[in-house]
Amino acid sequence: MATQMRKLTEHTAIPSALSPESTHPQSPQGKKIIMAGSQLNVLVKLDQAKTQWYHFMAIVIAGMGFFTDAYDLFCIALVTKLLGRLYYTDITKPGPGTLPPNVSSAVTGVALCGTLAGQLFFGWLGDKLGRKSVYGFTLILMVVCSIASGLSFGHTPKSVIATLCFFRFWLGFGIGGDYPLSATIMSEYASKKTRGAFIAAVFAMQGFGILFGAIVALVVSAGFRHAYPAPSYAQNPAASLAPQSDYAWRLILMFGTIPAGLTYYWRMKMPETARYTALVARNAKQAAADMSKVLHAEIEERPEVVESQVVAGETWGLFSRQFMQRHGMHLLATTSTWFLLDIAFYSQNLFQKDIFSKVGWIPPAKTMNALEELYRISRAQALIALCGTIPGYWFTVAFIDIVGRFWIQIMGFFMMTVFMLALGVPYEHWTKPAHHTGFVVLYALTFFFANFGPNSTTFIVPAEIFPARLRSTCHGISAASGKAGAIIGAFGFLYAAQDQHTPDAGYSRGIGIRNALFVLAGTNFLGMLMTLLVPESKGLSLEEMSQDNVVDETAQA
């Protein structure tokens, strides 16, 4: 079946747009199509450009946004147990306090809700106003709301959690904007030979953001433990929670603003992408002037080529019949695969602390004080990031322009399915102390193949296959679909993974960790099947993939 889909993609590929007035006999819908005009010189230069300093600057500038995105989204998982101890501990109970189910879901998932909204809004705005025009605003929103999250007002549980959730929603809103804008900017700057690796490198900064969050939590918790030593909860419930611990989680949440703030100046200095300026704003001369400075080469546009440009989507929009004929199946592929991937990926990331506790890799909460528990959770997440998450991202960078997007995504979904089953089938075996290391190794491998697989490719492909006029919007829709899956993972997994007989306090009975792993394996398998609809964009220009400069003969009539 995969071979058939590859052949279908090859048969529907668009011929080179470099020759004027070239024709293609039949479109996939059986209609004659016409290549309208020659390719602009500035776009040819970008497609053929050798790797230069500006490519690396673009990777760093866009990548630091994703570094901050990952830090802000996943650092909350490190501090939720500390929040539970601080605000919900009853020292008359045998164990330390935990966040109630509704509070835990809200704290963990509210930023994802904001991210979904931000992806849709800023994706649309990026096509309306330009990529650069709104790029700096998303960064400012992230910095301000990250600081405000750490300064959450009040001392009562209700006031602190309410303000924390409020600011994390708007933090997520800013993070959401970074997805379509960074992906689109990097895809429109890169050459066609290295585009996949460059977009993957931007996204790979997420891995360093996750690791940095764990390291910051390690350093903060170690510092506070040394300055304010305390007994375990079992020894002295009241003394196990040093009042100064309230500063620890606030520092962790705020620390991610530093790298993001440092890149704001450079974001503002970036010129608008040539493809937006030329194909959407219809100012090819300005695009040539901007890229002449960037490429350090003289680029001139012939007036007759500029005048002959006809851009796909100029007369039709996202909800038109023409879009559905050309890209409807593509949008279904990118939204469904990202949705299915994020159910599993965010379930694993946000609740790995709970899984590690249940299999015994982290000791029972009552045997530690609050800061020691934070330290151990941070150490576990740092090890997973080092051994599985970060290597997976950079394997994608190394191989995506060699192997291709399609095969990396198929392989990633398949291996995630295999390792989820390897964890779930002999689950009782992994809960025994002698086998904890084996569990962690397999668990890390699921992260490796998520990142050397669909977690990277679902981000890359939507930035390549849609027309310039709708590229940011379609990427935002695809990313928002992913965040819908993440919300299901964040809100659903915590309940579903509860023990069938003895759930945690405040929770109803669930299906248990073992059955939850089977459900995640099933979503990964469905993701593999939906990947068969994803076109391969390796080695093709954005205009060839998106069919920009191609119009139906019937549309011209």
Side-chain angles (χ1 to χ4, degrees):
M1 186 174 181
T3 303
Q4 292 174 339
M5 292 304 299
R6 295 298 94 222
K7 290 179 179 178
L8 177 60
T9 304
E10 292 167 6
H11 291 163
T12 58
I14 302 303
S16 172
L18 298 179
S19 58
E21 300 302 329
S22 60
T23 61
H24 188 287
Q26 292 291 109
S27 74
Q29 291 77 35
K31 296 178 182 177
K32 189 176 181 181
I33 58 176
I34 298 174
M35 300 299 293
S38 300
Q39 180 73 296
L40 291 170
N41 194 32
V42 65
L43 303 187
V44 175
K45 292 287 187 184
L46 279 171
D47 279 337
Q48 297 174 352
K50 295 181 179 179
T51 300
Q52 300 179 36
W53 178 246
Y54 86 92
H55 287 119
F56 294 109
M57 284 297 297
I59 289 171
V60 171
I61 293 167
M64 290 312 293
F66 270 92
F67 180 99
T68 307
D69 295 348
Y71 183 99
D72 289 333
L73 282 178
F74 296 114
C75 69
I76 194 67
L78 299 168
V79 301
T80 49
K81 284 189 178 289
L82 178 58
L83 288 170
R85 284 185 183 247
L86 281 166
Y87 298 109
Y88 293 93
T89 291
D90 181 350
I91 59 174
T92 63
K93 299 289 179 64
T98 58
L99 294 178
N102 59 331
V103 174
S104 180
S105 296
V107 168
T108 305
V110 69
L112 299 177
C113 296
T115 303
L116 187 154
Q119 286 164 337
L120 292 172
F121 177 73
F122 286 111
W124 168 79
L125 205 61
D127 283 333
K128 293 296 180 184
L129 302 181
R131 291 50 160 138
K132 180 195 172 182
S133 299
V134 291
Y135 204 28
F137 178 72
T138 62
L139 199 66
I140 292 174
L141 189 60
M142 287 158 55
V143 169
V144 170
C145 291
S146 182
I147 294 173
S149 297
L151 296 175
S152 296
F153 315 117
H155 296 286
T156 65
K158 187 175 182 180
S159 62
V160 170
I161 297 300
T163 53
L164 175 63
C165 288
F166 175 81
F167 287 119
R168 280 192 64 79
F169 175 86
W170 291 108
L171 171 66
F173 193 72
I175 289 171
D178 240 32
Y179 276 74
L181 295 173
S182 291
T184 302
I185 286 171
M186 198 66 246
S187 72
E188 293 181 345
Y189 264 114
S191 72
K192 63 183 180 181
K193 290 185 178 179
T194 58
R195 186 178 61 242
F198 287 170
I199 304 174
V202 169
F203 196 60
M205 295 301 289
Q206 273 200 340
F208 290 118
I210 293 171
L211 176 63
F212 185 64
I215 291 172
V216 168
L218 274 171
V219 172
V220 169
S221 59
F224 274 80
R225 282 175 67 194
H226 178 74
Y228 308 104
S232 69
Y233 185 88
Q235 293 172 320
N236 190 331
S240 69
L241 187 63
Q244 294 81 2
S245 302
D246 191 53
Y247 296 109
W249 69 270
R250 298 175 185 273
L251 287 172
I252 292 168
L253 293 188
M254 290 191 289
F255 208 86
T257 61
I258 296 173
L262 294 176
T263 60
Y264 177 77
Y265 171 77
W266 298 105
R267 279 199 181 193
M268 292 299 93
K269 287 198 68 175
M270 290 179 73
E272 182 58 84
T273 69
R275 284 183 162 89
Y276 181 86
T277 304
L279 300 178
V280 183
R282 302 309 302 271
N283 191 342
K285 290 183 178 180
Q286 183 62 50
D290 289 342
M291 291 304 104
S292 293
K293 296 176 184 177
V294 168
L295 295 172
H296 303 292
E298 195 66 32
I299 302 174
E300 294 184 1
E301 293 294 352
R302 291 176 294 164
E304 65 272 17
V305 175
V306 174
E307 291 297 323
S308 69
Q309 285 295 297
V310 177
V311 181
E314 197 161 37
T315 58
W316 45 263
L318 180 66
F319 301 105
S320 65
R321 177 177 56 83
Q322 291 94 329
F323 177 84
M324 294 307 297
Q325 288 175 339
R326 292 189 182 196
H327 299 291
M329 196 62 71
H330 293 163
L331 191 59
L332 173 63
T334 57
T335 52
S336 61
T337 52
W338 207 335
F339 173 79
L340 293 164
L341 175 276
D342 273 5
I343 292 176
F345 185 73
Y346 277 82
S347 295
Q348 289 175 258
N349 259 302
L350 293 173
F351 300 111
Q352 57 182 283
K353 64 186 185 304
D354 302 296
I355 294 174
F356 290 150
S357 296
K358 289 182 184 296
V359 300
W361 201 41
I362 296 175
K366 65 181 180 181
T367 64
M368 300 177 284
N369 62 44
L371 293 169
E372 183 181 357
E373 185 176 39
L374 173 61
Y375 179 85
R376 287 179 177 269
I377 291 170
S378 305
R379 185 177 63 180
Q381 184 157 311
L383 286 171
I384 291 293
L386 277 172
C387 298
T389 303
I390 291 175
Y393 281 119
W394 291 97
F395 264 67
T396 300
V397 175
F399 292 105
I400 192 163
D401 287 315
I402 300 171
V403 178
R405 288 73 161 149
F406 175 82
W407 290 112
I408 287 179
Q409 187 161 312
I410 281 281
M411 175 204 65
F413 269 128
F414 174 76
M415 297 305 294
M416 289 172 70
T417 304
V418 169
F419 285 115
M420 285 292 185
L421 292 174
L423 290 170
V425 173
Y427 179 71
E428 295 302 323
H429 169 82
W430 299 121
T431 59
K432 297 175 182 177
H435 304 138
H436 289 169
T437 301
F439 179 92
V440 172
V441 169
L442 289 180
Y443 198 67
L445 283 170
T446 64
F447 281 100
F448 175 83
F449 283 105
N451 296 313
F452 182 33
N455 191 43
S456 296
T457 54
T458 53
F459 175 79
I460 295 166
V461 172
E464 300 180 309
I465 65 176
F466 297 107
R469 187 169 291 276
L470 299 170
R471 184 170 292 135
S472 180
T473 300
C474 290
H475 194 284
I477 292 170
S478 302
S481 177
K483 283 301 167 287
I487 291 167
I488 291 174
F491 286 92
F493 185 83
L494 190 60
Y495 290 88
Q498 292 299 315
D499 192 89
Q500 293 170 293
H501 305 292
T502 55
D504 294 339
Y507 290 88
S508 57
R509 294 179 181 180
I511 59 175
I513 291 284
R514 182 171 186 262
N515 290 327
L517 290 172
F518 288 147
V519 171
L520 297 183
T523 62
N524 291 328
F525 182 74
L526 286 175
M528 183 176 68
L529 295 180
M530 294 306 296
T531 298
L532 297 175
L533 300 175
V534 174
E536 180 56 74
S537 51
K538 181 183 71 171
L540 298 173
S541 74
L542 294 179
E543 286 66 48
E544 288 172 316
M545 277 306 302
S546 65
Q547 302 180 33
D548 264 332
N549 249 18
V550 180
V551 292
D552 291 342
E553 192 177 56
T554 53
Q556 287 186 315

